[in-house]
Amino acid sequence: MQSVRIADIREHDGEEVTIKGWLYNKRSSGGIHFLIIRDGTGFMQAVAVRGEIPDDQFELCNNLTQESSILVTGRIRADKRAAGGFEMSATGVELVQLAEEYPITLKEHGVDFLLDHRHLWIRNPRQHAALLVRDEVISAAEDWLRSNGFVKIDAPILTPAACEGTTTLFETDYFGEKAYLSQSGQLYNEAACMAFGKVYCYGPTFRAEKSKTRRHLIEFWMIEPEMAYATQEDNMVIQEEFLSYIVQRCLAKRRQELITLERDLSKLECIVPPFPRLSYDEAVELLHEEGKEFEWGDDFGAPDEATISMKYDKPVFVTGYPTKVKAFYMQPDPDRPEIVKCSDLLAPEGYGEIIGSSERIHDLDLLAARMREHNLPEEAYGWYLDLRRYGSVPHSGFGLGIERTVAWITGSEHVREMIPFPRLINRIYP
Ligand code: 4AD
Ligand code: MG
């Protein structure tokens, strides 16, 4: 018998096919078993009627436990009442393994319990849907970059120096020398864009963040484009096109999953360029108008970003942050050296920062001075300074955090469920 995927079921209306999957749920009434099966690509109901499948297989259905692995054969038929639009009339059920009592029942569980069972929890329809959206975000991002001339360059994970400040570094021993897990591939991207023009890297990044919030992971994934000869203005135009493409792709390809997650799709449909822009100064004024206490020169916390981003129905660029709250490599504004040519992109509905971006310092002396101010050891950054010695040009780039972006697109509360196996301040299991 031809085996097919639930995701492709509409191509098999009227055919007899086999689905290789697991039992998600079961309801029995009189001589009928209603089996909800999942196969990794979707969920579907198979209806097994006594007399329409062999008796021993009907009896088997009586004893099937949640998450037992089964091969279900039957005829596919369109049914408007069915969740995915199709159902199966079973003609055979074959057992692969009878599952032991499954710890995650269909009742409510606490989040700690669920995180302890994350290796099983990812089978749950909502978790599964969110991770499929995550997959779409990643593939849409890479497709857009490649079709716009960006070359993928992989940055190292083990590095001799910090990119985003020394307070959140993970230190490890590198054959007797100190090494750090990468906080960002940016510095290597800067070298690569001088060799390839437009580049990006995609990989895991690590921050020993002491903060326990719904936006912070210890290990998260970031996609980072970098462009030679690009100004911060060019950088923002790229970001709004890039992010709009990602959102529209999720709407087109993962609509069913977004519906499973009860996402308000109209909030995503309006995500098209251009995005509003707000200077840091204006953002501070906005906070004051909202009655919040905030002093010019401070960095925004999550509640401040939430207040700002609630005001917009599209992501909003906040530009020109104070130099002293941003990273050492950011280009100062020539007219106002107390601010830098940078922007954070804040996702609407209170989600806050999903992209950090800037133009980079291209002058050797200025960069060296900044590194001294930040107490960064020059030996570890010799190669990075070289980039300002041999054909330095203005250049810009950004980093989009995958899990925060997925949290916003799916309308989820917490980033911890936007990654298959979250690393949190108090959790490294499973
Ligand atoms: O703003 P960040 O720190 O920027 C950089 O790392 C730059 N070097 C990127 C670049 O220009 N190439 O981080 C970028 C994004 C944030 O906007 C956020 O989406 C995400 O990474 N991020 C986190 N996501 C989850 N947990 C954390 N602890 C995160 N820290 C940053
Ligand atoms: Mg940032």
Side-chain angles (χ1 to χ4, degrees), residues 326 344 353 356:
K326 287 294 186 187
D344 278 4
E353 180 191 345

Side-chain angles (χ1 to χ4, degrees), residues 164 207 299 305 326 330 343-344 353 355-357 399 404:
E164 295 298 323
R207 310 256 172 115
D299 201 359
E305 288 184 0
K326 287 294 186 187
M330 293 190 183
S343 61
D344 278 4
E353 180 191 345
I355 292 182
S357 89
R404 287 196 192 168

Side-chain angles (χ1 to χ4, degrees), residues 115-300:
L115 284 169
D116 283 341
H117 293 85
R118 183 64 176 166
H119 50 297
L120 303 176
W121 192 26
I122 52 179
R123 303 178 186 192
N124 166 276
R126 290 183 71 93
Q127 299 302 315
H128 183 258
L131 293 177
L132 285 176
V133 173
R134 179 183 207 270
D135 172 66
E136 197 60 39
V137 165
I138 296 162
S139 73
E142 295 211 66
D143 287 350
W144 191 92
L145 289 168
R146 284 167 186 272
S147 59
N148 282 277
F150 287 77
V151 178
K152 184 177 189 172
I153 297 290
D154 294 319
I157 303 295
L158 288 166
T159 63
C163 179
E164 295 298 323
T166 48
T167 55
T168 62
L169 277 178
F170 262 109
E171 192 179 307
T172 182
D173 171 65
Y174 197 76
F175 308 106
E177 277 182 55
K178 273 187 189 171
Y180 308 97
L181 298 185
S182 177
Q183 298 169 307
S184 158
Q186 179 196 318
L187 306 186
Y188 295 93
N189 268 346
E190 290 184 54
C193 83
M194 300 305 165
F196 297 89
K198 293 198 281 188
V199 300
Y200 75 97
C201 66
Y202 174 57
T205 44
F206 305 85
R207 310 256 172 115
E209 309 257 16
K210 301 294 184 305
S211 30
K212 195 175 167 186
T213 77
R214 59 188 194 89
R215 318 194 309 153
H216 287 93
L217 292 164
I218 301 303
E219 181 178 308
F220 64 97
W221 290 69
M222 185 156 49
I223 193 151
E224 299 181 84
E226 191 76 26
M227 298 157 281
Y229 287 106
T231 63
Q232 178 55 19
E233 181 53 37
D234 300 332
N235 197 7
M236 290 193 286
V237 171
I238 294 281
Q239 288 169 48
E240 60 197 5
E241 286 176 8
F242 173 69
L243 185 62
S244 299
Y245 177 80
I246 293 171
V247 172
Q248 296 309 319
R249 258 268 297 260
C250 289
L251 270 172
K253 296 235 183 162
R254 290 297 175 197
R255 204 174 194 88
Q256 188 54 51
E257 285 73 19
L258 292 168
I259 291 168
T260 297
L261 292 163
E262 298 161 282
R263 184 62 168 125
D264 179 350
L265 301 184
S266 69
K267 295 257 196 282
L268 300 177
E269 274 151 5
C270 68
I271 307 302
V272 288
F275 296 165
R277 284 142 207 241
L278 192 69
S279 69
Y280 171 90
D281 301 343
E282 290 166 331
V284 172
E285 255 173 59
L286 186 154
L287 289 176
H288 290 163
E289 281 160 21
E290 293 292 311
K292 310 270 168 190
E293 275 197 32
F294 189 88
E295 203 168 321
W296 196 101
D298 287 345
D299 201 359
F300 298 130

Side-chain angles (χ1 to χ4, degrees), residues 159-162 180 187-188 371 376-385:
T159 63
Y180 308 97
L187 306 186
Y188 295 93
M371 288 176 54
L376 297 171
E378 206 162 306
E379 323 81 76
Y381 295 84
W383 66 271
Y384 185 64
L385 289 165

Side-chain angles (χ1 to χ4, degrees), residues 3-117:
S3 88
V4 300
R5 304 176 338 138
I6 293 174
D8 303 327
I9 213 69
R10 58 187 59 253
E11 294 156 30
H12 300 280
D13 191 14
E15 294 171 25
E16 193 178 12
V17 298
T18 297
I19 293 191
K20 299 175 168 175
W22 295 262
L23 183 72
Y24 173 65
N25 196 6
K26 184 182 76 175
R27 190 164 57 82
S28 303
S29 121
I32 309 181
H33 294 300
F34 300 93
L35 311 174
I36 307 287
I37 44 182
R38 57 169 200 87
D39 74 340
T41 75
F43 292 75
M44 195 182 70
Q45 177 162 274
V47 183
V49 179
R50 190 196 299 279
E52 290 179 10
I53 68 169
D55 284 347
D56 58 325
Q57 295 182 21
F58 189 85
E59 291 311 314
L60 166 72
C61 291
N62 281 329
N63 304 322
L64 279 181
T65 49
Q66 189 186 349
E67 287 304 317
S68 286
S69 35
I70 46 176
L71 310 183
V72 188
T73 298
R75 196 167 296 284
I76 302 300
R77 51 184 169 75
D79 186 328
K80 283 205 186 65
R81 293 161 304 170
F86 292 86
E87 259 194 10
M88 176 189 263
S89 302
T91 53
V93 177
E94 189 184 323
L95 182 66
V96 179
Q97 192 243 346
L98 188 67
E100 294 178 24
E101 194 179 337
Y102 194 60
I104 305 180
T105 60
L106 299 171
K107 66 168 211 254
E108 294 269 316
H109 293 280
V111 75
D112 276 322
F113 176 85
L114 291 168
L115 284 169
D116 283 341
H117 293 85

Side-chain angles (χ1 to χ4, degrees), residues 371-390:
M371 288 176 54
R372 283 191 296 275
E373 283 167 32
H374 284 256
N375 292 319
L376 297 171
E378 206 162 306
E379 323 81 76
Y381 295 84
W383 66 271
Y384 185 64
L385 289 165
D386 269 356
L387 304 175
R388 279 72 183 168
R389 290 192 176 96
Y390 307 112

